[in-house]
Amino acid sequence: MAAVLSVSTPMVYANDKAEDAINYRQGVFTAIKWHFGNLSDQVRGKSDYDKEAFEARAEKLKSLAGMVKEGFIPGSYSGHSNALPAIESNEDDFNRLMVDFEEKSGALAGAARTGNMNLINQAFGDAARTCKGCHDSYKK
Ligand code: ASC
């Protein structure tokens, strides 16, 4: 009995961890989408541009972009996830795209502080392309 427990317990634990990781990154992406959507509306003129609010949200996007990667743990690419197992077999490429997302989000926060719409538009487009770049290869 003890032998059975010692074998099965780590597996249950591993599954729980994968589920937690999926929930974690989906939570972070939900927060990212909420801020990114609002920034997008301001950039596209669907809502009024408010420098202070834009800056605050861009700062939060930057922080969130740095939080998402740790949720992509080995064995967490099945179940209620849209993340493709290709992430595991292309770790370097995936990491590069994650770093790109972080850097472009940081650049957007920097542009936001200037209040210069040309710079903001450019930086927003760059950040949006990093979203799409990763989704094209690694999202269902
Ligand atoms: C969004 C969203 C994405 C990105 C992407 C940008 O608002 O949900 O996945 O922007 O469409 O190209």
mmCIF file of all heavy atoms in Angstrom, residues 33 36-37 40 44 124 127-133 135 139, ligand 1:
data_model
loop_
_atom_site.group_PDB
_atom_site.id
_atom_site.type_symbol
_atom_site.label_atom_id
_atom_site.label_comp_id
_atom_site.label_asym_id
_atom_site.label_seq_id
_atom_site.Cartn_x
_atom_site.Cartn_y
_atom_site.Cartn_z
ATOM 1 N N LYS A 33 -5.378 41.096 -21.681
ATOM 2 C CA LYS A 33 -6.369 41.426 -22.709
ATOM 3 C C LYS A 33 -7.210 42.631 -22.293
ATOM 4 O O LYS A 33 -7.549 43.479 -23.128
ATOM 5 C CB LYS A 33 -7.265 40.204 -22.968
ATOM 6 C CG LYS A 33 -8.114 40.311 -24.224
ATOM 7 C CD LYS A 33 -8.832 38.994 -24.492
ATOM 8 C CE LYS A 33 -9.846 39.129 -25.604
ATOM 9 N NZ LYS A 33 -9.250 39.480 -26.907
ATOM 10 N N PHE A 36 -4.877 45.620 -22.662
ATOM 11 C CA PHE A 36 -4.503 45.814 -24.063
ATOM 12 C C PHE A 36 -5.693 46.300 -24.889
ATOM 13 O O PHE A 36 -5.549 47.166 -25.762
ATOM 14 C CB PHE A 36 -3.941 44.510 -24.657
ATOM 15 C CG PHE A 36 -3.107 44.719 -25.866
ATOM 16 C CD1 PHE A 36 -1.800 45.158 -25.757
ATOM 17 C CD2 PHE A 36 -3.627 44.494 -27.136
ATOM 18 C CE1 PHE A 36 -1.024 45.377 -26.887
ATOM 19 C CE2 PHE A 36 -2.856 44.707 -28.266
ATOM 20 C CZ PHE A 36 -1.554 45.146 -28.139
ATOM 21 N N GLY A 37 -6.860 45.739 -24.587
ATOM 22 C CA GLY A 37 -8.082 46.142 -25.296
ATOM 23 C C GLY A 37 -8.392 47.609 -25.074
ATOM 24 O O GLY A 37 -8.769 48.336 -26.002
ATOM 25 N N SER A 40 -5.848 49.657 -26.925
ATOM 26 C CA SER A 40 -6.197 49.561 -28.346
ATOM 27 C C SER A 40 -7.323 50.534 -28.698
ATOM 28 O O SER A 40 -7.261 51.234 -29.713
ATOM 29 C CB SER A 40 -6.609 48.116 -28.662
ATOM 30 O OG SER A 40 -7.126 48.031 -29.965
ATOM 31 N N ARG A 44 -6.943 53.552 -31.342
ATOM 32 C CA ARG A 44 -7.772 53.560 -32.549
ATOM 33 C C ARG A 44 -8.876 54.610 -32.525
ATOM 34 O O ARG A 44 -9.703 54.655 -33.443
ATOM 35 C CB ARG A 44 -8.385 52.171 -32.761
ATOM 36 C CG ARG A 44 -7.304 51.108 -32.870
ATOM 37 C CD ARG A 44 -7.759 49.833 -33.529
ATOM 38 N NE ARG A 44 -6.565 49.067 -33.902
ATOM 39 C CZ ARG A 44 -6.234 47.885 -33.361
ATOM 40 N NH1 ARG A 44 -7.011 47.310 -32.490
ATOM 41 N NH2 ARG A 44 -5.127 47.276 -33.740
ATOM 42 N N PHE A 124 2.644 50.739 -30.004
ATOM 43 C CA PHE A 124 1.474 49.874 -29.832
ATOM 44 C C PHE A 124 1.434 48.806 -30.923
ATOM 45 O O PHE A 124 1.191 47.623 -30.643
ATOM 46 C CB PHE A 124 0.166 50.689 -29.857
ATOM 47 C CG PHE A 124 -1.048 49.822 -29.680
ATOM 48 C CD1 PHE A 124 -1.475 49.468 -28.409
ATOM 49 C CD2 PHE A 124 -1.734 49.325 -30.782
ATOM 50 C CE1 PHE A 124 -2.569 48.622 -28.241
ATOM 51 C CE2 PHE A 124 -2.826 48.485 -30.613
ATOM 52 C CZ PHE A 124 -3.248 48.142 -29.345
ATOM 53 N N ALA A 127 3.961 46.124 -30.206
ATOM 54 C CA ALA A 127 3.516 45.231 -29.123
ATOM 55 C C ALA A 127 2.437 44.271 -29.631
ATOM 56 O O ALA A 127 2.484 43.070 -29.345
ATOM 57 C CB ALA A 127 2.995 46.052 -27.942
ATOM 58 N N ALA A 128 1.489 44.801 -30.400
ATOM 59 C CA ALA A 128 0.410 43.953 -30.934
ATOM 60 C C ALA A 128 0.971 42.848 -31.822
ATOM 61 O O ALA A 128 0.483 41.718 -31.808
ATOM 62 C CB ALA A 128 -0.590 44.808 -31.705
ATOM 63 N N ARG A 129 2.002 43.169 -32.590
ATOM 64 C CA ARG A 129 2.615 42.150 -33.460
ATOM 65 C C ARG A 129 3.274 41.028 -32.652
ATOM 66 O O ARG A 129 3.318 39.885 -33.102
ATOM 67 C CB ARG A 129 3.619 42.794 -34.425
ATOM 68 C CG ARG A 129 2.950 43.267 -35.736
ATOM 69 C CD ARG A 129 3.964 43.780 -36.748
ATOM 70 N NE ARG A 129 4.590 45.031 -36.319
ATOM 71 C CZ ARG A 129 4.017 46.235 -36.450
ATOM 72 N NH1 ARG A 129 2.828 46.350 -37.011
ATOM 73 N NH2 ARG A 129 4.646 47.322 -36.028
ATOM 74 N N THR A 130 3.752 41.351 -31.450
ATOM 75 C CA THR A 130 4.335 40.274 -30.642
ATOM 76 C C THR A 130 3.244 39.327 -30.128
ATOM 77 O O THR A 130 3.506 38.135 -29.948
ATOM 78 C CB THR A 130 5.166 40.800 -29.436
ATOM 79 O OG1 THR A 130 4.319 41.419 -28.476
ATOM 80 C CG2 THR A 130 6.248 41.770 -29.894
ATOM 81 N N CYS A 131 2.052 39.835 -29.895
ATOM 82 C CA CYS A 131 0.927 38.960 -29.502
ATOM 83 C C CYS A 131 0.663 37.981 -30.626
ATOM 84 O O CYS A 131 0.655 36.760 -30.435
ATOM 85 C CB CYS A 131 -0.359 39.764 -29.238
ATOM 86 S SG CYS A 131 -0.234 41.034 -27.975
ATOM 87 N N LYS A 132 0.456 38.556 -31.817
ATOM 88 C CA LYS A 132 0.106 37.744 -32.975
ATOM 89 C C LYS A 132 1.231 36.761 -33.327
ATOM 90 O O LYS A 132 0.972 35.600 -33.649
ATOM 91 C CB LYS A 132 -0.199 38.645 -34.172
ATOM 92 C CG LYS A 132 -0.778 37.893 -35.355
ATOM 93 C CD LYS A 132 -1.165 38.815 -36.490
ATOM 94 C CE LYS A 132 -1.883 38.075 -37.615
ATOM 95 N NZ LYS A 132 -1.238 36.848 -38.040
ATOM 96 N N GLY A 133 2.479 37.240 -33.230
ATOM 97 C CA GLY A 133 3.628 36.399 -33.569
ATOM 98 C C GLY A 133 3.643 35.100 -32.782
ATOM 99 O O GLY A 133 3.941 34.035 -33.326
ATOM 100 N N HIS A 135 0.895 33.807 -31.086
ATOM 101 C CA HIS A 135 -0.348 33.065 -31.315
ATOM 102 C C HIS A 135 -0.283 32.258 -32.611
ATOM 103 O O HIS A 135 -0.785 31.141 -32.668
ATOM 104 C CB HIS A 135 -1.539 34.035 -31.378
ATOM 105 C CG HIS A 135 -1.817 34.705 -30.064
ATOM 106 N ND1 HIS A 135 -2.694 35.758 -29.931
ATOM 107 C CD2 HIS A 135 -1.325 34.456 -28.827
ATOM 108 C CE1 HIS A 135 -2.728 36.135 -28.654
ATOM 109 N NE2 HIS A 135 -1.905 35.372 -27.966
ATOM 110 N N LYS A 139 -0.541 29.004 -30.406
ATOM 111 C CA LYS A 139 -1.887 28.987 -29.836
ATOM 112 C C LYS A 139 -2.836 28.267 -30.793
ATOM 113 O O LYS A 139 -2.765 28.492 -32.008
ATOM 114 C CB LYS A 139 -2.382 30.427 -29.592
ATOM 115 C CG LYS A 139 -3.667 30.506 -28.794
ATOM 116 C CD LYS A 139 -4.154 31.957 -28.651
ATOM 117 C CE LYS A 139 -5.491 32.008 -27.953
ATOM 118 N NZ LYS A 139 -6.105 33.338 -28.041
HETATM 119 C C1 ASC B 1 -5.709 41.769 -28.858
HETATM 120 C C2 ASC B 1 -5.811 40.372 -28.631
HETATM 121 C C3 ASC B 1 -4.760 39.796 -29.247
HETATM 122 C C4 ASC B 1 -3.917 40.821 -29.873
HETATM 123 C C5 ASC B 1 -3.639 40.580 -31.325
HETATM 124 C C6 ASC B 1 -2.784 41.680 -31.886
HETATM 125 O O1 ASC B 1 -6.461 42.624 -28.433
HETATM 126 O O2 ASC B 1 -6.740 39.728 -27.969
HETATM 127 O O3 ASC B 1 -4.496 38.532 -29.263
HETATM 128 O O4 ASC B 1 -4.597 42.049 -29.650
HETATM 129 O O5 ASC B 1 -4.830 40.503 -32.030
HETATM 130 O O6 ASC B 1 -2.437 41.394 -33.189
#
